[in-house]
Amino acid sequence: MTGGGIYNGYSEVHARYAVISENKSSDNSSSSSYYDNHGGGIWSFGELFLRDVLVERNYANGDGGGIYQSSTSDGCFLTDVQIRDNESKRN
C-alpha cells in the first residue's frame, strides 16, 4: 500500500486549506516492489500543488513519512505548508 492519505499516480493534485494527518502507509505483505509502503501522508508521481496545508503525524513503512514525491515527476509546489512530526522507517 502506498499513499496513506493521498495517492497521486501520474496526474495533477491541488489541495488548499487541508489537513493530512494520522495516515499510515504500510502492510504486512512480503511485496518486493520498490514503490510499496512509501508516502504516509502523500505518495505522488505527478504534479503536486499544496497551499495552506498541514501534513503531520503520518507514518510510512518505507520512505517519506509525510510526503513521498518521485524524482521523475513534474514537480512539487508548496506554499505555506507545514510538514511536521512525520515518521518513516527508511528515510
Side-chain angles (χ1 to χ4, degrees), residues 49-80:
F49 298 86
L50 303 179
R51 178 181 291 256
D52 301 306
V53 171
L54 173 61
V55 180
E56 70 174 354
R57 296 188 311 268
N58 298 288
Y59 174 81
N61 202 34
D63 296 325
I67 299 173
Y68 178 84
Q69 179 73 28
S70 169
S71 62
T72 61
S73 70
D74 291 330
C76 180
F77 306 93
L78 309 176
T79 304
D80 296 323

Side-chain angles (χ1 to χ4, degrees), residues 2-81:
T2 57
I6 295 174
Y7 174 88
N8 175 24
Y10 306 103
S11 62
E12 188 174 291
V13 170
H14 293 258
R16 188 166 190 184
Y17 305 120
V19 175
I20 301 161
S21 181
E22 299 184 20
N23 296 287
K24 185 175 183 181
S25 179
S26 67
D27 61 29
N28 295 322
S29 72
S30 59
S31 174
S32 61
S33 172
Y34 172 78
Y35 301 107
D36 288 343
N37 301 318
H38 299 316
I42 301 170
W43 182 94
S44 180
F45 260 50
E47 285 185 289
L48 183 62
F49 298 86
L50 303 179
R51 178 181 291 256
D52 301 306
V53 171
L54 173 61
V55 180
E56 70 174 354
R57 296 188 311 268
N58 298 288
Y59 174 81
N61 202 34
D63 296 325
I67 299 173
Y68 178 84
Q69 179 73 28
S70 169
S71 62
T72 61
S73 70
D74 291 330
C76 180
F77 306 93
L78 309 176
T79 304
D80 296 323
V81 174

